[in-house]
């Protein structure tokens, strides 16, 4: 638990005795090694916590004593939500190529942070046992896993007896055509391609390798009169949603970014994805990253990907071959069933409801809401309306929408 811990009084007394014993051992270690400041800091902190536990049955940061409160051995596996599920539960891991490395990295990140606190006397060594599971412990508890990804990682491929491919789209949409062009003259060529899309009322995504290149390209495109926005990691949730919405409704024709154009960005209006410096091998130009980036153009019937590169790397070749393989399978299905690919038609408010909630709150359908112009009272009304929508979404079990609204509410409260 993040803040509270429930246990019986007998267990609490036993835990407090064990904490006292560990404290004495750690104080002796610090004093023997002439770490007097650390010893004083630890003793002051821990004795205060023990007093609070004795008087109130609780102390701030009680989760750091969870090993003692559950009477576990040092280094033993902590209890997690997984322990509450029956033996035959199923875990569905979405975007598994990203999620699994995060599960693997959680333990190391947590230990690195807490070890510093222990070394400097802010916490007892037992705090290290209030931790995420190691990947091996996670594997032991997870008996049935379903990995979902357009680009499965090595772990999923090694541990899957038979991979099930779901390539056929009911809409008949094909994966985009991929073209590789030389780097020389790439910006002029890019501008020509963007103009062609603008004439057809379609949108373009451009992915670069560095923040500086994104900024420079955005500035240059603005100078020549293009409607362009720059999407980067420092943009807050609310702004990000509004930028994507503005792209869809035509306020922008081009979106420039680095790594934000990959998983889960569903914009049917995008018919062109441009990858600059596609031949610079690395994480952002790996086979998986390239396939994910290309997939942003797969929602449009005339989807196309242009890679600017002077050579074809192994990652590029694999990504292009895989995209072509998927195209052939879909095309054969379309011919067999007489399907004509059609771009997904999706109302903007279906994708992003949150900004609409804010607009409705002001009862002025003609005016687009500008949050910076609101008074405190108006902002409070917007937040209240959003909170109602959030609770309603949770009641309807629409947790994705509820979580999105929750993030927006927290952001608005912080800004207010």
């Amino acid at each position: 638990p993040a803040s509270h811990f429930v246990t019986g009084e007998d267990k609490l007394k036993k835990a407090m005795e064990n904490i006292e014993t560990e404290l004495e051992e750690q104080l002796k270690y610090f004093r023997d090694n002439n770490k007097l400041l650390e010893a004083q800091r630890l003793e002051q902190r821990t004795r205060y916590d023990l007093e609070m536990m004795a008087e109130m049955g609780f102390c701030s940061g009680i989760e750091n004593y969870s090993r003692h409160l559950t009477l576990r051995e040092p280094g033993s596996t902590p209890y997690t939500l997984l322990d509450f599920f029956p033996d035959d539960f199923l875990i569905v891991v979405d975007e598994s190529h990203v999620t699994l490395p995060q599960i693997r990295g959680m333990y190391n990140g947590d230990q690195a942070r807490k070890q510093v606190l222990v070394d400097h006397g802010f916490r007892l060594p037992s705090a290290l046992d209030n931790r995420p599971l190691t990947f091996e412990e996670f594997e032991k508890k997870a008996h049935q896993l379903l990995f979902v990804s357009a680009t499965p990682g090595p772990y999923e491929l090694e541990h899957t007896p038979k991979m099930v491919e779901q390539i056929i789209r009911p809409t008949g949409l094909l994966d985009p055509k991929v073209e590789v062009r030389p780097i020389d003259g790439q910006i002029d060529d890019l501008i020509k391609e963007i103009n062609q899309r603008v004439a057809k009322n379609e949108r373009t995504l451009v992915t670069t390798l560095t923040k500086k290149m994104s900024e420079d390209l955005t500035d240059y495109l603005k100078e020549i009169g293009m409607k362009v926005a720059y999407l980067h990691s420092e943009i807050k949730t609310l702004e990000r949603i509004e930028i994507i919405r503005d792209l869809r409704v035509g306020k922008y024709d081009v979106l420039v970014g680095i790594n934000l154009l990959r998983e889960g960005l569903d914009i049917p209006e995008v018919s062109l994805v441009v990858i600059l410096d596609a031949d610079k091998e690395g994480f952002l130009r790996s086979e998986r990253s390239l396939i994910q980036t290309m997939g942003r153009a797969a929602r449009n019937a005339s989807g196309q990907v242009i890679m600017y590169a002077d050579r074809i790397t192994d990652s590029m070749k694999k990504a292009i071959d895989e995209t072509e393989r998927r195209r052939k399978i879909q095309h054969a299905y379309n011919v067999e069933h007489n399907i004509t690919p059609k771009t997904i038609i999706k109302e903007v408010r279906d994708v992003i409801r949150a900004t609409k909630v804010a607009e409705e709150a002001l009862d002025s359908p003609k005016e687009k809401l500008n949050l910076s112009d609101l008074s405190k009272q108006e902002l409070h009304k917007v937040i209240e309306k959003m909170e109602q929508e959030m609770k309603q979404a949770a009641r309807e079990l629409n947790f994705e929408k509820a979580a999105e609204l929750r993030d927006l509410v927290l952001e608005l409260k912080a800004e207010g």
Side-chain angles (χ1 to χ4, degrees), residues 245-288:
R245 183 164 178 254
D246 288 341
L247 179 79
R248 295 203 60 201
V249 297
K251 183 178 174 182
Y252 302 120
D253 291 318
V254 188
L255 206 56
V256 179
I258 304 169
N259 191 27
L260 293 170
L261 305 180
R262 300 203 295 124
E263 296 90 0
L265 208 62
D266 183 7
I267 309 173
E269 290 80 6
V270 170
S271 66
L272 175 64
V273 170
V274 176
I275 303 171
L276 300 178
D277 297 312
D279 56 356
K280 304 289 187 290
E281 277 277 22
F283 172 70
L284 291 175
R285 296 293 179 264
S286 66
E287 177 194 347
R288 288 184 187 87

Side-chain angles (χ1 to χ4, degrees), residues 267-413:
I267 309 173
E269 290 80 6
V270 170
S271 66
L272 175 64
V273 170
V274 176
I275 303 171
L276 300 178
D277 297 312
D279 56 356
K280 304 289 187 290
E281 277 277 22
F283 172 70
L284 291 175
R285 296 293 179 264
S286 66
E287 177 194 347
R288 288 184 187 87
S289 293
L290 289 172
I291 291 173
Q292 288 285 349
T293 307
M294 289 174 185
R296 301 309 107 221
R299 309 283 192 276
N300 194 293
S302 53
Q304 185 187 0
V305 174
I306 298 174
M307 295 180 174
Y308 288 103
D310 285 335
R311 63 192 180 95
I312 295 181
T313 62
D314 287 345
S315 297
M316 285 171 66
K317 187 175 186 319
K318 286 175 185 171
I320 293 166
D321 289 349
E322 177 60 19
T323 304
E324 192 54 40
R325 182 183 77 86
R326 294 178 187 183
R327 267 183 73 85
K328 283 178 182 171
I329 293 170
Q330 181 74 57
H331 180 67
Y333 182 86
N334 291 354
V335 170
E336 187 183 340
H337 295 85
N338 199 25
I339 294 171
T340 304
K342 286 183 182 174
T343 300
I344 296 168
I345 304 297
K346 215 174 200 178
E347 285 187 62
V348 177
R349 63 185 178 85
D350 288 346
V351 178
I352 297 160
R353 173 91 181 119
T355 48
K356 291 288 286 181
V357 175
E359 286 177 27
E360 287 160 9
L362 279 184
D363 297 320
S364 54
K366 290 181 184 175
E367 287 181 16
K368 186 179 182 299
L369 174 66
N370 190 345
L371 294 168
S372 58
D373 294 341
L374 296 183
S375 67
K376 280 202 169 181
Q377 196 174 358
E378 287 171 328
L379 190 61
H380 184 67
K381 277 186 183 176
V382 170
I383 290 170
E384 268 187 7
K385 182 92 174 174
M386 280 191 177
E387 283 177 335
Q388 287 169 13
E389 286 259 342
M390 175 182 74
K391 287 170 185 170
Q392 182 60 33
R395 279 194 290 272
E396 292 168 359
L397 306 183
N398 189 350
F399 298 118
E400 283 184 8
K401 178 182 170 185
E404 193 174 65
L405 284 164
R406 178 203 61 202
D407 291 346
L408 293 172
V409 166
L410 290 172
E411 214 165 274
L412 287 173
K413 281 181 176 175

Side-chain angles (χ1 to χ4, degrees), residues 228-255:
V228 58
Y230 170 36
L231 203 60
H232 55 86
S233 57
E234 287 161 30
I235 288 179
K236 293 180 181 175
T237 312
L238 188 62
E239 288 177 75
R240 178 188 160 96
I241 288 170
E242 288 204 341
I243 287 171
I244 293 170
R245 183 164 178 254
D246 288 341
L247 179 79
R248 295 203 60 201
V249 297
K251 183 178 174 182
Y252 302 120
D253 291 318
V254 188
L255 206 56

